[in-house]
């Protein structure tokens, strides 16, 4: 831990060494001759210093861009904050339409209703599908809570006004997002690159809140589930810093297997670049023909995925539970999510997601406690 801080201070100092030397040389002289020089010269010095700093910074950024270096590691990321509770899970795949949002919502319902956990969902996707899926139609004022979260310079005193409760699922809160999130993300990212953005590093703002014990205890969260967009946005980068585990839903088709290997490789590289600390929990087969076992062409795809896991994420597993392709799981307009349906469909959905939740908990070392025995 202390090594990380030393490395970070070292990187920050060496990035700005020129400016520091100029200041170290001139500031004592200014202090010494302050009376003789007077205040106006000090003001001029401050201006020159600001100009020098901008110039230095501009050249550094220009070099970085010209060399086509990845922008997310333009600055060394600050060390990870200590965080033990709640555990955090991010549902991620750089491919869209693979069931990430559907899985995040139903998994949250299972954790809350079956295993009595308090859940915080964070919708990281500006398309706001998770928010739409779970928010009351009349509750649109809260439509972009994530923009607030990302814009904070320091953590708020309380989270109550900054999360929205999901009225259909007791025990679940959501940080909503909406289309305007893309602008927040782009603004923040550019301000950070140009060194205009004050406050904590923009890549670590969600981490800052989730590692605040007082805020997490206030709402009693046991688990945080983040639903990622299919790209490496500012929100995704925040999630990668803040998450303990990553769950990757994938269709079991040949076309989907290659991107999995690529993504696992990218995640490994990226982990070092931003000093992240996550584990890959595993891949879950989504929109499959059956719910218990792979069949037909899916067998080949699942073997390819297992090979990729063995190579790039040996700690991860291929989940036993599959999420079958069923119209009622895909939630036709105005219907509730699968987990909340009544009748046979709802029963099947609950069996699927309760089983998946058990596997997820085992992988995250969360213990389900008494709820199963009580059934
Ligand atoms: N298991 C499933 N069976 C049928 N349709 C599904 C299933 N999961 C998701 N869908 C539908 O597929 C589309 C994409 O799902 P979504 O969960 O939004 O994926 P992602 O978040 O990966 O983009 C949505 O229209 C959703 O309703
Ligand atoms: Mg989605």
């Amino acid at each position: 831990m202390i090594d990380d801080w030393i490395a970070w201070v070292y990187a920050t100092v060496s990035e700005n060494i020129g400016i520091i030397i100029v200041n170290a040389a001139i500031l004592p002289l200014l202090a010494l001759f302050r009376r003789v020089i007077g205040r106006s010269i000090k003001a001029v010095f401050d201006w020159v210093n600001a100009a020098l700093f901008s110039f230095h910074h501009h050249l550094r950024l220009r070099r970085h861009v010209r060399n086509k270096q990845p922008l997310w590691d333009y600055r060394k990321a600050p060390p990870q904050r200590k965080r033990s509770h709640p555990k955090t899970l991010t549902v991620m795949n750089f491919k869209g339409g693979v069931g990430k949002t559907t899985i995040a919502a139903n998994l949250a319902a299972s954790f809350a209703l079956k295993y009595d956990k308090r859940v915080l969902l964070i919708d990281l996707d500006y398309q706001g599908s998770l928010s739409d899926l779970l928010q009351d139609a009349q509750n649109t004022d809260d439509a972009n809570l994530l923009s607030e979260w990302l814009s904070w310079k320091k953590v708020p005193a309380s989270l109550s006004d900054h999360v929205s409760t999901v009225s259909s699922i007791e025990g679940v809160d959501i940080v909503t997002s909406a289309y305007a999130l893309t602008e927040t993300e782009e603004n923040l990212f550019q301000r950070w690159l140009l060194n205009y953005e004050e406050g904590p590093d923009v890549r670590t703002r969600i981490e800052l809140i989730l590692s605040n014990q007082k805020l997490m205890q206030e709402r009693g969260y046991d688990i945080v589930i983040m639903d990622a967009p299919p790209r490496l946005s500012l929100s995704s980068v925040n999630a990668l810093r803040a998450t303990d585990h990553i769950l990757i839903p994938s269709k079991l088709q040949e076309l989907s297997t290659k991107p999995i290997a690529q993504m696992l490789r990218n995640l490994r590289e990226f982990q070092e670049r931003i000093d992240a600390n996550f584990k890959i929990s595993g891949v879950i087969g989504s929109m499959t023909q059956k719910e218990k076992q792979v069949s037909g062409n899916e067998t080949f795809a699942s073997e390819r995925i297992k090979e990729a896991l063995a190579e790039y994420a040996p700690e991860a597993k291929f989940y036993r539970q599959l999420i079958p392709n069923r119209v009622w799981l895909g939630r036709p307009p105005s219907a509730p999510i699968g987990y909340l349906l009544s009748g046979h469909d709802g029963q099947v959905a609950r069996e699927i997601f309760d089983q998946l939740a058990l596997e997820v908990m085992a992988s995250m070392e969360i213990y389900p406690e008494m709820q199963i025995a009580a059934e």
Side-chain angles (χ1 to χ4, degrees):
M1 185 73 186
I2 193 88
D3 294 359
D4 293 343
W5 280 103
I6 292 172
W8 179 65
V9 170
Y10 176 76
T12 310
V13 168
S14 55
E15 274 165 21
N16 297 295
I17 192 69
I19 307 283
I20 292 169
I21 290 174
V22 171
N23 276 281
I26 296 179
L27 274 180
L29 286 179
L30 271 182
L32 205 61
F33 297 109
R34 190 180 187 105
R35 258 192 228 121
V36 189
I37 298 169
R39 286 186 185 282
S40 53
I41 302 252
K42 167 79 168 61
V44 170
F45 176 75
D46 283 349
W47 274 100
V48 172
N49 204 7
L52 212 64
F53 188 81
S54 305
F55 188 61
H56 161 78
H57 179 72
H58 174 80
L59 288 183
R60 210 169 81 79
L61 184 55
R62 188 164 162 265
R63 191 175 59 228
H64 200 87
V65 172
R66 213 173 44 189
N67 294 346
K68 299 193 178 135
Q69 283 169 276
L71 290 176
W72 286 116
D73 54 350
Y74 176 55
R75 287 195 193 90
K76 182 158 174 61
Q80 281 274 330
R81 290 182 183 85
K82 237 180 126 188
R83 191 165 37 79
S84 55
H85 194 82
K87 298 262 174 85
T88 50
L89 174 75
T90 300
V91 186
M92 185 177 259
N93 187 336
F94 295 151
K95 238 172 133 54
V98 295
K100 294 183 290 292
T101 302
T102 305
I103 289 173
N106 286 281
L107 202 51
S110 171
F111 277 129
L113 302 177
K114 169 81 176 178
Y115 300 110
D116 207 21
K117 304 288 180 201
R118 281 199 50 83
V119 185
L120 174 65
L121 279 169
I122 307 184
D123 186 355
L124 302 166
D125 192 342
Y126 69 86
Q127 295 177 75
S129 325
L130 184 69
S131 308
D132 291 346
L133 212 56
L134 296 175
Q135 254 199 319
D136 303 336
Q138 71 273 20
N139 195 5
T140 47
D141 289 352
D142 293 336
N144 199 356
L145 290 170
L146 185 60
S147 279
E148 269 179 43
W149 275 49
L150 292 171
S151 305
W152 280 326
K153 307 271 190 275
K154 57 179 192 192
V155 292
S158 157
L159 273 191
S160 318
D161 294 335
H162 306 293
V163 292
S164 179
T165 52
V166 176
S167 58
S168 54
I169 317 172
E170 209 191 317
V172 179
D173 286 349
I174 182 168
V175 180
T176 51
S177 77
Y179 197 72
L181 175 66
T182 88
E183 197 154 320
T184 309
E185 291 185 302
E186 271 155 30
N187 272 331
L188 279 172
F189 177 55
Q190 286 174 28
R191 288 174 62 83
W192 173 75
L193 277 181
L194 295 174
N195 217 12
Y196 287 139
E197 181 61 12
E198 287 164 11
D201 193 302
V202 296
R203 296 166 296 182
T204 65
R205 295 204 171 164
I206 292 183
E207 175 193 343
L208 188 69
I209 300 166
L210 299 187
S211 60
N212 185 300
Q213 285 301 302
K214 190 178 144 274
L215 291 179
M216 292 299 110
Q217 277 164 12
E218 175 201 21
R219 308 289 304 169
Y221 296 133
D222 298 302
I223 179 163
V224 179
I225 302 177
M226 294 183 265
D227 178 28
R231 65 189 184 105
L232 207 51
S233 63
L234 178 68
S235 305
S236 306
V237 173
N238 266 268
L240 290 176
R241 272 289 296 216
T243 202
D244 300 315
H245 297 270
I246 296 179
L247 179 65
I248 307 173
S250 174
K251 291 186 183 174
L252 300 183
Q253 298 166 348
E254 201 181 337
L255 270 181
S256 307
T257 56
K258 209 166 150 203
I260 295 273
Q262 256 160 9
M263 183 180 156
L264 290 171
R265 206 171 39 225
N266 284 348
L267 285 177
R268 279 278 162 263
E269 278 171 26
F270 202 71
Q271 187 159 34
E272 298 208 344
R273 290 214 215 120
I274 58 161
D275 250 324
N277 215 358
F278 54 80
K279 292 196 177 81
I280 309 284
S281 165
V283 172
I284 170 157
S286 177
M287 305 187 185
T288 52
Q289 293 168 40
K290 298 183 186 160
E291 62 212 51
K292 294 237 158 54
Q293 73 209 67
V294 294
S295 50
N297 292 339
E298 295 173 351
T299 316
F300 177 76
S302 64
E303 289 310 315
R304 291 285 87 79
I305 290 175
K306 284 178 197 166
E307 283 164 17
L309 285 176
E311 184 168 356
Y312 299 112
E315 80 277 17
K317 61 176 193 160
F318 186 82
Y319 272 78
R320 280 174 51 200
Q321 183 63 53
L322 304 167
I323 310 297
N325 191 354
R326 303 284 179 268
V327 176
W328 42 269
L329 269 182
R331 194 202 184 234
S334 79
I337 61 168
Y339 199 92
L340 300 179
L341 290 171
S342 52
H344 178 258
D345 293 347
Q347 194 187 333
V348 175
R350 285 186 289 281
E351 274 166 22
I352 290 169
F353 284 101
D354 289 344
Q355 198 53 41
L356 177 66
L358 272 184
E359 282 193 69
V360 171
M361 281 191 281
S363 132
M364 294 177 74
E365 296 176 5
I366 298 176
Y367 301 101
E369 294 156 1
M370 303 306 290
Q371 268 62 41
I372 315 169
E375 284 278 303

